[in-house]
Amino acid sequence: DHRFARRSVVKLADLRDESFLSFKPGHAIRDFTDALCREVGFVPNIVFEADESNSIRGFVNAGFGVALVPQTGTADDAPSIRIADERAQREVGIAWLRDRTLTQAEAAFRAFVVRAQPLLG
């Protein structure tokens, strides 16, 4: 029922009067969210803080507010709306030592990240 629920894109400034669900202070995404909001001229009204995005998404689903969370590429019930602001992106990297043999799990994870990169970018 949220006014943005059927939109695919929204400007961050449009969220100025919304209740925010966010990560706890010190979390990288919280710091990123706070900085983005400051850049467009507001401090988010944070009504709930959590340690992980599934909790936040659950509260969004329940209608308690909006949240900036990383795009996961998984389907859930919460509408996923892209933030139009150019700065609302972040780069995530992966690195490994060339001279060190990766375990099977490490090699599988690296292959997954490399395959998923075009989908996430």
Side-chain angles (χ1 to χ4, degrees):
D1 296 335
H2 192 276
R3 64 189 173 119
F4 294 133
R6 289 180 177 53
R7 292 177 62 180
S8 59
V9 179
V10 67
K11 290 184 179 182
L12 187 59
D14 293 341
L15 303 177
R16 149 184 338 271
D17 297 323
E18 298 293 327
S19 296
F20 274 76
L21 313 169
S22 188
F23 292 94
K24 291 182 179 179
H27 190 286
I29 300 298
R30 171 65 178 271
D31 295 343
F32 187 66
T33 299
D34 290 349
L36 283 173
C37 292
R38 274 193 311 271
E39 285 180 24
V40 297
F42 74 97
V43 174
N45 174 30
I46 297 173
V47 298
F48 175 78
E49 297 173 332
D51 290 319
E52 53 99 39
S53 61
N54 285 337
S55 295
I56 294 171
R57 287 174 186 275
F59 279 91
V60 168
N61 275 341
F64 288 104
V66 300
L68 298 184
V69 294
Q71 181 179 354
T72 62
T74 61
D76 61 19
D77 295 334
S80 179
I81 302 168
R82 191 173 66 75
I83 300 296
D85 305 63
E86 229 176 80
R87 292 187 174 167
Q89 298 179 41
R90 64 190 184 114
E91 287 189 30
V92 177
I94 182 170
W96 58 92
L97 296 172
R98 193 175 297 204
D99 298 337
R100 184 177 162 273
T101 302
L102 298 177
T103 66
Q104 187 175 6
E106 292 165 338
F109 179 71
R110 180 182 65 184
F112 167 77
V113 170
V114 169
R115 277 192 317 273
Q117 189 277 330
L119 301 173
L120 302 175

